[in-house]
């Protein structure tokens, strides 16, 4: 917001330069981004950054009040009353005119007032008004429009003037818009409305979009003779919603969205009437004020223990000085019980609701630079680490130890890859107002994000070795307008070929590089009996679901050719992800240690010719299910297809370990036990032993 330095001088004595005033305001929390000189106007303009909780600063009087408080000066308010004496600014209310005002929705519009000025002859504004409007970047138009803008910038109260003769009825009706209703605004654009928008109508048709912009048909021009001046209080929520939906913002909506001062509604109207009567060529009758509804009560009191200053700031500020600070800000202070004062909060400071808010006000005026730095007196608190946090750290350590590089990506993704794969977007959450039109979905999977990083690495790196992992949330669909469910997920992606080094020759990445990372995580978390079940996924071919006791933990596989084509990835790529929240429930962090075995183990091999569709995992599960006492472990040794193996068959070789904790097993005992295993496997899978 721009503030004219010359304009401020009407309300507070400024004995220092504009730059010094800017420094004082910034040190008190009202940031001045810069000071610009207007040589033609002999003025300086301060560019001020207004925080959303301080709408009282959205006016020259509000900024002047702040300057008076930080500098110890006196604030002088502009004249707005009807002085009832000789002079152009004096007028007597015409009580003959009657204008019915009806408000159908007092929640959206608690209070509406208007005043009719008849037979007004006006032209351009006086030079001082035009200069001040020009200084803050507002173009002068005519006296009536300029006065409403002047009061807006002076007091922060939005006003609107209607051409009375262009109203079809002598009535004001404030109501919600109807379906398929529209309004042509003063900018010449037709805006479609809905039932959540608030309209000002003349009883027959809309004449303004409440708090946002007036209608073109009732706009004031130099031909206007009779003026209806509006001043009202609108709900910030309805103005913000309408302004954002239509993409229509104005100086009025900017203030109404943040909450105007209820007391300023009547003050702003009367100030505008006074200026019009003072600077118009002539004004006929000025009606009484027509009103509808009631102004909301926005004042309150706070019981403030003076000891809060010392407790929170760590400095001692005399209570007399604290009261002086509060009064300088427009607050009232009355003694209550010992050590406590009752602070009256005016309507323009709706941000003050708690004692800690008053502590901040005292700190601002005392000076942040005068508060010494001290360590907080806080006792250390031990927070027990959750299972999910432990699982996340374990997964990260495993990934880093496996040589993967962590990446961080955006939660928003494009839907183009889903369109390419012809995947229906039913179980996703869309962003209603995306800042980037390309990023419209909350990602349901980490695959699109990781594949974008794989693509970028291939483009911008001389190496063909890409090893990545990410830990981030994925998002489910919205259900019954509730927020989408977030699920912490761990994902791995590898592509290209591993570079050669002194320990290992270079080779292409395979499915088992990704599978091994997940198996290592499961082992470190004590999760056993993991099954890899064939699975269909739109991003993958040769995909498998990772399951534990019937619960799906995640999916992994080889990236399909259409997906590689979409992301322009030339080499094979493998990717997988698991839900950290699910594996946290299955994790076993307790470890029991056993003595090293006293007796040696014996191993026997078993080579089988089986059907092509028999997974090795099913053979291992079957052997384990036999439950033989001395059988300790079974591992897959070899896989072979072709040569002497019949078509439609494959060869799997397994190594089985046998051991007793009580004695050394004899060769005969091991052979007998192994024969039972072989007999059971060959019979169950219709397999043949391979010699």
């Amino acid at each position: 917001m721009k503030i004219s330095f010359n304009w401020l001088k009407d309300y507070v004595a400024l004995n220092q330069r504009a730059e010094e005033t800017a420094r004082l305001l910034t040190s008190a929390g009202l940031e001045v981004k810069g000071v610009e000189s207007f040589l033609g106007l002999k003025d300086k303009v301060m560019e001020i950054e207004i925080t959303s909780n301080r709408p009282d600063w959205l006016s020259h009087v509000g900024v002047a009040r702040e300057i008076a408080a930080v500098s110890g000066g006196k604030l002088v308010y502009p004249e707005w009353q009807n002085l009832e004496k000789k002079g152009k600014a004096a007028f007597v209310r015409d009580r003959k005119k009657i204008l019915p005002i009806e408000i159908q929705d007092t929640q959206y519009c608690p209070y509406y007032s208007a005043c009719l000025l008849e037979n007004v002859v006006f032209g351009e504004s006086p030079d001082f008004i035009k200069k001040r409007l020009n200084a803050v970047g507002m173009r002068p138009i005519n006296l009536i429009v300029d006065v409403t803008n002047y009061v807006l910038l002076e007091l922060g109260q939005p006003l609107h003037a209607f051409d009375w003769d262009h109203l079809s009825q002598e009535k004001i009706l404030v109501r919600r818009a109807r379906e398929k209703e529209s309004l042509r605004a003063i900018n010449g654009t037709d805006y479609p409305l809905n039932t959540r928008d608030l309209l000002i109508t003349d009883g027959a048709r809309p004449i303004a979009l409440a708090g946002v912009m007036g209608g073109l048909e009732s706009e004031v021009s130099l031909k206007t003779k009779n003026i209806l001046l509006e001043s009202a209080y609108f709900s910030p929520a309805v103005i913000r919603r309408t302004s954002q939906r239509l993409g229509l913002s104005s100086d009025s909506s900017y203030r109404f969205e943040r909450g105007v001062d209820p007391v300023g509604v009547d003050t702003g109207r009367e100030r505008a009437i006074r200026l019009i009567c003072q600077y118009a060529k002539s004004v006929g009758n000025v009606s009484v004020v027509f009103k509808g509804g009631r102004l909301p009560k926005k004042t309150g009191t706070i019981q403030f223990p003076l000891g809060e200053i010392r407790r929170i700031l760590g400095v001692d500020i005399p209570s007399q000085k604290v009261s002086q600070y509060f009064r300088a800000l427009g607050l009232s202070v009355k003694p209550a019980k010992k050590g406590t004062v009752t602070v009256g909060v005016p309507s323009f400071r709706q941000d003050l609701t708690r004692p800690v808010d008053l502590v901040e006000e005292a700190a601002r005026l005392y000076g942040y630079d005068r508060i010494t730095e001290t360590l907080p007196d806080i006792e250390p608190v031990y927070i027990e680490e959750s299972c999910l946090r432990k699982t996340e750290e374990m997964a990260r350590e495993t990934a880093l130890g496996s040589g993967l590089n962590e990446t961080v990506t955006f939660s928003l993704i494009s839907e183009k890859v889903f369109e390419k794969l012809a995947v229906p977007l039913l179980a996703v959450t869309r962003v209603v107002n995306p800042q980037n039109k390309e990023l419209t979905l909350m990602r349901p999977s980490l695959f699109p994000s990781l594949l974008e990083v794989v693509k970028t690495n291939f483009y911008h790196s001389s190496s063909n070795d890409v090893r990545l992992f990410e830990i981030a949330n994925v998002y489910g669909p919205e259900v019954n307008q509730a927020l989408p469910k977030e699920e912490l997920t761990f994902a791995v992606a590898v592509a290209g070929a591993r570079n050669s080094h002194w320990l290992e020759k270079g080779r292409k990445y395979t499915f088992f590089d990704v599978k091994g990372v997940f198996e290592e995580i499961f082992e470190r978390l004590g999760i056993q009996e993991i099954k890899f079940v064939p699975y269909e996924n739109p991003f993958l071919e040769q995909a498998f679901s990772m399951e534990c006791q019937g619960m799906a933990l995640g999916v992994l596989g080889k990236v399909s050719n259409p997906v590689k084509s979409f992301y322009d990835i030339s080499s094979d790529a493998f990717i997988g992800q698991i839900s950290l929240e699910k594996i946290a429930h299955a994790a076993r962090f307790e470890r029991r240690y056993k003595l090293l075995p006293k007796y040696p183990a014996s191993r026997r091999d078993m080579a089988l010719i089986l059907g092509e569709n028999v997974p090795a995992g099913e053979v291992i599960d079957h052997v384990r299910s036999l439950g033989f006492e001395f059988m300790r472990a079974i591992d897959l040794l070899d896989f072979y297809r072709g040569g002497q193996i019949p078509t439609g068959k494959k060869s799997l070789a397994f190594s089985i370990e046998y051991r007793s904790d009580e004695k050394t097993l004899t060769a005969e005992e091991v052979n007998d036990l192994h024969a039972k295993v072989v007999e059971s496997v060959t019979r169950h899978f219709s397999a043949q032993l391979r010699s």
Side-chain angles (χ1 to χ4, degrees):
M1 177 181 171
K2 294 183 177 181
I3 295 292
S4 164
F5 193 68
N6 287 345
W7 197 344
L8 287 174
K9 294 178 181 179
D10 286 359
Y11 318 117
V12 64
L14 295 174
N15 301 320
Q16 66 275 1
R17 298 168 60 248
E19 290 76 11
E20 178 62 20
T21 302
R23 188 194 66 78
L24 286 173
L25 289 174
T26 301
S27 65
L30 176 51
E31 181 184 358
V32 180
K33 298 170 63 178
V35 178
E36 185 178 358
S37 296
F38 277 79
L39 299 179
L41 301 176
K42 296 181 180 180
D43 193 4
K44 289 194 174 183
V45 174
M46 296 185 292
E47 183 72 30
I48 295 180
E49 187 74 24
I50 307 295
T51 56
S52 60
N53 67 324
R54 293 302 303 270
D56 58 300
W57 283 340
L58 292 171
S59 67
H60 280 72
V61 169
V63 174
R65 182 189 296 113
E66 192 72 13
I67 294 173
V70 299
S71 65
K74 181 180 179 181
L75 180 66
V76 179
Y77 285 96
E79 295 180 348
W80 57 272
Q81 300 95 339
N82 173 16
L83 300 180
E84 296 286 357
K85 66 178 182 180
K86 293 181 180 180
K88 288 190 68 176
F91 55 86
V92 178
R93 300 285 187 180
D94 180 7
R95 301 183 180 277
K96 297 179 181 179
K97 196 73 178 178
I98 298 176
L99 176 66
I101 293 180
E102 180 184 350
I103 304 174
Q104 289 188 350
D105 195 326
T106 55
Q107 179 183 359
Y108 281 5
C109 177
Y111 178 76
Y112 188 96
S113 71
C115 187
L116 179 62
L117 289 78
E118 298 179 292
N119 299 318
V120 181
V121 180
F122 61 93
E124 293 186 3
S125 302
D127 285 345
F128 85 95
I129 289 182
K130 290 194 290 185
K131 287 181 179 179
R132 290 179 175 181
L133 292 179
N134 275 320
V136 296
M138 194 168 283
R139 180 173 62 89
I141 298 175
N142 59 55
L143 177 66
I144 305 303
V145 176
D146 293 350
V147 164
T148 59
N149 289 332
Y150 187 89
V151 173
L152 172 87
L153 297 169
E154 181 183 53
L155 298 175
Q157 174 59 37
L159 305 169
H160 188 72
F162 300 101
D163 189 326
W164 172 259
D165 296 324
H166 288 175
L167 271 60
S168 59
Q169 297 183 21
E170 294 186 359
K171 177 183 181 180
I172 291 294
L173 171 63
V174 184
R175 61 170 174 82
R176 296 195 193 188
R178 303 186 182 103
E179 287 292 347
K180 298 183 180 181
E181 198 168 16
S182 64
L183 172 73
R184 177 165 294 180
I186 58 176
N187 61 6
T189 303
D190 291 318
Y191 290 98
L193 309 176
N194 63 32
T195 56
R196 303 182 74 184
D197 299 323
L198 188 66
L199 285 177
I200 311 300
T201 75
D202 59 8
R205 59 191 174 92
I207 57 176
L209 190 56
V212 181
M213 191 169 287
L216 184 63
E217 294 182 0
S218 59
E219 182 182 17
V220 170
S221 67
L222 290 175
K223 297 180 181 180
T224 301
K225 297 296 183 184
N226 302 309
I227 299 163
L228 184 67
L229 185 66
E230 166 198 285
S231 185
Y233 184 92
F234 300 114
S235 164
V238 66
I239 305 302
R240 184 183 306 113
R241 184 169 55 240
T242 297
S243 178
Q244 290 181 351
R245 184 180 65 82
L246 297 177
L248 179 62
S249 181
S250 64
D251 291 307
S252 295
S253 67
Y254 185 78
R255 286 160 175 81
F256 277 125
E257 287 175 13
R258 286 154 179 78
V260 300
D261 177 13
V263 174
V265 176
D266 291 332
T267 303
R269 182 194 63 244
E270 296 304 307
R271 172 64 171 165
I273 294 172
R274 179 186 177 91
L275 290 173
I276 292 172
C277 291
Q278 186 171 356
Y279 295 108
K281 296 176 182 178
S282 65
V283 178
N285 296 326
V286 179
S287 73
V288 295
V289 179
F290 310 115
K291 300 180 181 179
R294 293 183 179 180
L295 280 170
K297 183 181 178 182
K298 295 292 184 178
T299 58
T301 58
I302 300 175
Q303 299 300 316
F304 182 65
L306 295 170
E308 288 291 277
I309 299 286
R310 173 65 184 176
R311 186 182 72 83
I312 295 177
L313 299 182
V315 297
D316 289 314
I317 304 177
S319 57
Q320 184 178 359
K321 196 71 174 177
V322 173
S323 298
Q324 181 181 334
Y325 290 153
F326 291 163
R327 292 190 178 97
L329 292 168
L331 315 180
S332 64
V333 182
K334 294 181 180 179
K337 56 185 178 180
K338 185 177 180 180
T340 303
V341 294
T342 300
V343 179
V345 180
S347 57
F348 60 81
R349 288 304 305 271
Q350 299 172 28
D351 59 305
L352 301 180
T353 59
R354 305 164 298 168
V356 70
D357 298 330
L358 298 177
V359 173
E360 182 181 3
E361 296 302 295
R364 291 196 308 113
L365 298 191
Y366 178 73
Y368 292 122
D369 56 332
R370 298 173 62 187
I371 300 175
T372 56
E373 295 182 4
T374 57
L375 291 174
D377 185 16
I378 301 176
E379 295 182 1
V381 177
Y382 172 74
I383 300 177
E384 186 175 355
E385 195 172 26
S386 66
C387 289
L388 179 59
R389 180 66 176 172
K390 290 180 181 178
T391 302
E392 178 185 350
E393 289 304 314
M394 189 76 73
R396 178 176 283 108
E397 291 174 6
T398 303
L400 293 172
S402 301
L404 304 179
N405 300 300
E406 185 169 10
T407 183
V408 179
T409 59
F410 292 116
S411 297
L412 300 177
I413 61 172
S414 171
E415 59 184 271
K416 289 184 178 180
V417 63
F418 296 95
E419 295 174 353
K420 176 74 174 179
L421 300 174
V423 176
L425 297 174
L426 301 177
V428 297
T429 296
R430 289 185 176 273
V431 180
V432 177
N433 55 340
Q435 293 183 350
N436 186 331
K437 293 182 180 180
E438 291 292 321
L439 306 178
T440 58
L441 301 180
M442 301 293 290
R443 59 185 175 195
S445 166
L446 291 182
F447 287 173
S449 302
L450 271 183
L451 290 172
E452 282 285 356
V453 182
V454 172
K455 170 185 175 181
T456 303
N457 274 265
F458 275 128
Y459 276 153
H460 298 282
S461 175
S462 58
S463 172
N464 198 31
D465 182 1
V466 179
R467 294 168 284 170
L468 303 170
F469 79 95
E470 181 172 15
I471 298 176
N473 283 329
V474 298
Y475 303 87
E478 293 180 281
V479 179
N480 298 326
Q481 297 183 340
L483 291 175
K485 180 184 177 183
E486 301 180 25
E487 189 170 19
L488 190 62
T489 302
F490 170 83
V492 174
V494 297
R498 182 184 290 272
N499 294 327
S500 298
H501 57 81
W502 67 281
L503 280 176
E504 183 181 11
K505 292 183 179 180
R507 61 172 178 82
K508 291 183 178 181
Y509 285 110
T510 69
F511 168 84
F512 298 100
D513 288 293
V514 173
K515 182 172 180 282
V517 174
F518 290 114
E519 288 179 325
E520 178 69 16
I521 292 173
F522 295 141
E523 182 177 346
R524 294 186 66 182
L525 292 174
I527 302 175
Q528 300 177 352
E529 299 180 5
I530 294 294
K531 292 184 178 181
F532 293 85
V533 181
Y535 181 77
E536 290 187 5
N537 184 281
F539 283 83
L540 306 175
E541 60 187 41
Q542 301 175 11
F544 294 87
S545 172
M546 293 174 276
E547 299 181 1
C548 177
Q549 298 180 354
M551 179 174 63
L553 303 179
V555 63
L556 78 162
K558 181 180 179 182
V559 178
S560 66
N561 288 328
V563 175
K564 286 198 302 179
S565 174
F566 178 84
Y567 288 103
D568 199 13
I569 299 173
S570 56
S571 66
D572 287 343
F574 303 89
I575 196 167
Q577 68 178 19
I578 53 175
S579 167
L580 292 181
E581 297 181 12
K582 289 180 179 178
I583 67 174
H585 289 295
R588 298 292 180 265
F589 294 101
E590 294 182 358
R591 295 290 184 269
R592 292 185 178 182
Y593 296 93
K594 296 181 179 179
L595 293 174
L596 291 174
K598 294 181 180 180
Y599 303 98
S602 297
R603 279 191 171 271
R604 297 291 187 272
D605 295 339
M606 175 178 62
L608 303 171
I609 299 176
L610 307 100
E612 185 69 55
N613 60 348
V614 178
E618 288 190 13
V619 178
I620 293 174
D621 290 341
H622 177 75
V623 172
R624 286 173 176 167
S625 69
L626 297 177
F628 292 140
E629 179 184 2
F630 301 133
M631 191 172 62
R632 300 302 182 186
I634 176 172
D635 299 303
L636 178 65
L637 283 181
D638 182 53
F639 164 74
Y640 178 72
R641 182 189 294 120
Q644 298 177 355
I645 307 302
T647 303
K649 300 285 186 177
K650 63 183 177 182
S651 172
L652 297 177
F654 299 90
S655 175
I656 304 175
E657 178 185 303
Y658 301 94
R659 177 175 49 80
S660 170
D661 294 331
E662 306 295 334
K663 63 177 182 176
T664 299
L665 295 176
T666 64
E668 184 178 355
E669 289 175 320
V670 174
N671 291 337
D672 288 344
L673 186 57
H674 186 65
K676 294 179 181 178
V677 172
V678 172
E679 190 276 332
S680 177
V681 171
T682 54
R683 176 168 42 83
H684 186 270
F685 292 101
S686 300
Q688 295 177 345
L689 275 178
R690 183 183 174 198
S691 58

